[in-house]
């Protein structure tokens, strides 16, 4: 029986990660955008809204999916969310009209919402199946999300160049549908409902009771955690849209600049896997503190126009993004428990939404008022420092909470 349960959680992690892999699809929208604009005549702003809608709605999909997990099994949430997600991509192949509104519905709303439901259900199930190694479990799942750009970028570019946008959507949509079906089969009930009892460990023993979302949002810990994510990701969003063009402007060849972005994607995925697993041993707060310190240093380096420093700082910032996104699911579970972790993490991810929307607003304001990109990077360094300050306050708050996870 023990071997059967062990196999179940292994298959759950493998096929769950395969489905989560496709939740990173919106992040390669920039590959599709020129082809979509050429075919439809949309402006850059109209086309970019597809990306922003998918990212924004993704968080609300997490919240709704997490709330559904309070009453239904992860299998049902994955089945519903995966169906909406896959249908959104497939239908997008037929929505390239003069008006972008149909694409906003399919690519933005349907895809983003379905992805959020799939993501939260699988992350929550992984944490509950591996309560003694929540960092490892969440790291495997979110690493799959980070690897999407690395593998789907060349595939999408090849299909777009040889066949067109419709064929690219259909190919990825079919692959996403396969992952959805497999995940629906293997992502079962959480361990306590399936009769699985993991081996006792210090990590599992010290997990706190499960906070409901309403209870969580009545604590200072929630707002400090949300602010840590917000300020930490602001720095990354200042850089990510211009990562390649900035390097070229500073004397780096286009090929080398593209290579640095690709290397950044590899580092991003590697940190997502390595750091949460390390945090199982040394503590989650201290690991995120290290990430934020690197983030602040990288932002300072970006203020200098030296090509090598720019390239190194760019790669480091991709790693910092992976460190934050890889650590926060298990950090949320270690602070507020695993019972409602899917919905709780969805609310914490509101910090990501604010950062993604706020970064271009701040950037445009600084540039329009005569500021420079170097000033934006200085603001990014202060944001990373603010995130580190919020995390230090959170650590102090946890030390005074008897139910806090000792290794958080």
């Amino acid at each position: 029986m023990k071997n059967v349960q062990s196999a179940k959680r292994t298959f759950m992690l493998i096929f769950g990660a395969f489905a989560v892999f496709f939740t990173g699809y919106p992040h390669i929208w920039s590959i599709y955008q020129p082809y979509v604009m050429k075919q439809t005549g949309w402006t850059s702003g109209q086309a970019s809204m597809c990306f922003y809608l998918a990212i924004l709605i993704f968080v609300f999909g997490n919240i709704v999916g997490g709330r559904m997990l309070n009453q239904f099994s992860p299998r049902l949430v994955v089945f519903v969310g995966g169906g909406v997600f896959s249908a959104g991509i497939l239908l997008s192949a037929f929505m390239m009209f003069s008006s972008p509104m149909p694409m906003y519905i399919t690519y933005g709303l349907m895809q983003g919402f379905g992805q959020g439901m799939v993501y939260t259900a699988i992350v929550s199930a992984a944490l509950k199946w591996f309560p003694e190694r929540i960092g490892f479990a969440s790291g495997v799942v979110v690493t799959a999300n980070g690897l999407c750009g690395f593998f789907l970028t060349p595939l999408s570019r090849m299909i777009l160049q040889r066949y067109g946008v419709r064929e690219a959507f259909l190919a990825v949509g079919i692959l996403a549908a396969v992952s959805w079906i497999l995940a629906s089969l293997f992502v079962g009930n959480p361990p306590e409902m399936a009769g699985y009892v993991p081996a006792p460990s210090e990590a599992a023993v010290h997990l706190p009771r499960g906070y409901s979302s309403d209870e969580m949002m009545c604590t200072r810990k929630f707002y400090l955690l949300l602010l840590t994510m917000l300020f930490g990701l602001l720095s990354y969003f200042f850089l990510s849209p211009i990562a390649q063009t900035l390097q070229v402007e500073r004397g780096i060849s286009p090929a080398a600049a593209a290579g640095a972005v690709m290397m950044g994607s590899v580092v991003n995925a590697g940190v997502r896997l390595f750091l949460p697993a390390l945090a199982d041993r040394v503590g989650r707060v201290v690991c995120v503190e290290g990430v934020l310190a690197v983030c602040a240093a990288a932002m300072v380096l970006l203020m200098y126009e030296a090509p090598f420093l720019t390239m190194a700082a760019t790669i480091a910032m991709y790693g910092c993004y992976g460190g934050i996104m890889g650590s926060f699911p298990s950090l949320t579970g270690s602070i507020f428990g695993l019972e409602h972790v899917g919905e709780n993490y969805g609310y914490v991810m509101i910090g990501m939404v604010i950062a993604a929307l706020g970064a271009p607003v701040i950037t445009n304001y600084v540039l329009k008022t005569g500021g420079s990109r170097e000033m934006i990077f200085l603001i990014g360094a202060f944001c990373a420092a603010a995130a580190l300050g919020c995390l230090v306050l959170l650590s102090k708050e946890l030390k005074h909470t008897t139910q806090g996870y000792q290794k958080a």
Side-chain angles (χ1 to χ4, degrees):
M1 183 64 178
K2 182 178 180 181
N3 291 335
V4 171
Q5 296 295 354
S6 179
K8 281 185 177 181
R9 72 173 189 167
T10 300
F11 284 122
M12 181 280 305
L13 199 60
I14 292 172
F15 291 106
F18 182 45
V20 168
F21 171 85
F22 290 95
T23 65
Y25 186 51
H27 292 278
I28 64 170
W29 171 254
S30 60
I31 304 296
Y32 287 72
Q33 182 163 312
Y35 295 90
V36 173
M37 290 172 60
K38 183 178 180 179
Q39 184 166 333
T40 61
W42 299 346
T43 66
S44 177
Q46 287 175 319
S48 297
M49 187 58 65
C50 294
F51 166 76
Y52 288 114
L53 278 173
I55 297 300
L56 176 64
I57 300 301
F58 173 79
V59 174
F60 293 100
N62 271 265
I63 294 172
V64 173
R67 180 149 294 191
M68 287 178 63
L69 288 172
N70 296 336
Q71 299 180 4
F72 305 105
S73 72
R75 178 174 286 112
L76 178 62
V77 177
V78 170
F79 182 79
V80 174
V84 174
F85 164 34
S86 303
I89 299 178
L90 292 170
L91 288 173
S92 294
F94 306 98
M95 296 298 166
M96 285 169 286
F97 305 118
S98 58
S99 170
M101 190 58 64
M103 184 74 84
Y104 291 167
I105 295 172
T106 58
Y107 190 93
L109 300 182
M110 291 180 64
Q111 181 190 206
F113 194 82
Q115 282 181 342
M117 292 181 67
V118 169
Y119 187 89
T120 193
I122 294 174
V123 169
S124 177
L127 293 176
K128 292 175 181 178
W129 273 105
F130 291 83
E132 79 284 14
R133 300 173 68 192
I134 61 174
F136 163 77
S138 66
V140 169
V141 173
V142 299
T143 297
N145 172 277
L147 286 172
C148 180
F150 184 79
F151 288 103
L152 281 191
T153 293
L155 174 64
S156 294
R157 184 179 289 115
M158 183 270 290
I159 299 175
L160 287 166
Q161 291 174 348
R162 292 187 181 182
Y163 304 104
V165 182
R166 175 174 296 179
E167 289 74 9
F169 279 135
L170 290 174
V172 175
I174 291 170
L175 291 173
V178 171
S179 76
W180 153 55
I181 294 170
L182 290 172
S184 298
L185 294 174
F186 289 98
V187 178
N189 289 322
E192 63 271 16
M193 296 178 66
Y196 173 74
V197 180
S201 70
E202 182 181 354
V205 168
H206 291 294
L207 284 171
R209 70 173 179 85
Y211 284 68
S212 69
S213 295
D214 290 342
E215 291 175 322
M216 178 186 72
M217 287 187 285
C218 290
T219 69
R220 289 181 58 193
K221 293 177 290 187
F222 165 70
Y223 296 99
L224 289 170
L225 190 62
L226 185 149
L227 288 173
T228 301
M229 173 173 273
L230 191 164
F231 286 121
L233 291 182
L234 263 175
S235 301
Y236 170 77
F237 286 126
F238 285 146
L239 173 67
S240 58
I242 60 168
Q244 183 159 331
T245 57
L246 177 70
Q247 294 180 81
V248 173
E249 289 174 0
R250 292 184 174 182
I252 300 171
S253 70
V261 172
M262 186 69 76
M263 178 61 69
S265 298
V266 174
V267 173
N268 172 8
V271 172
R272 285 177 185 241
L273 179 62
F274 170 75
L275 194 68
L278 176 65
D280 283 337
R281 297 178 177 273
V282 303
R284 307 186 199 290
V285 169
V286 67
C287 286
V288 179
E289 286 175 342
V291 167
L292 294 173
V294 172
C295 181
M299 284 284 107
V300 172
L301 291 179
L302 285 169
M303 295 173 61
Y304 300 91
E305 297 187 3
F308 175 77
L309 292 180
T310 300
M311 184 180 292
T314 298
I315 295 172
M317 284 304 301
Y318 276 90
C320 291
Y321 176 71
I324 292 172
M325 297 307 295
S327 299
F328 267 67
S330 55
L331 183 58
T332 302
S334 68
I335 295 173
F336 300 108
L338 301 183
E339 185 177 354
H340 306 286
V341 66
E343 182 181 0
N344 289 346
Y345 182 55
Y347 283 108
V348 172
M349 287 182 70
I350 291 175
M352 183 186 75
V353 173
I354 298 173
L357 297 177
V361 172
I362 295 172
T363 297
N364 291 335
Y365 176 79
V366 170
L367 296 178
K368 285 182 178 179
T369 55
S372 63
R373 284 182 175 172
E374 287 69 29
M375 183 178 296
I376 295 170
F377 296 143
L378 178 60
I379 294 172
F382 279 113
C383 286
L388 186 57
C390 290
L391 193 58
V392 170
L393 292 175
L394 175 61
S395 180
K396 292 181 179 180
E397 185 80 11
L398 291 173
K399 289 179 180 178
H400 291 89
T401 305
T402 57
Q403 292 179 338
Y405 176 36
Q406 292 185 1
K407 280 194 175 183

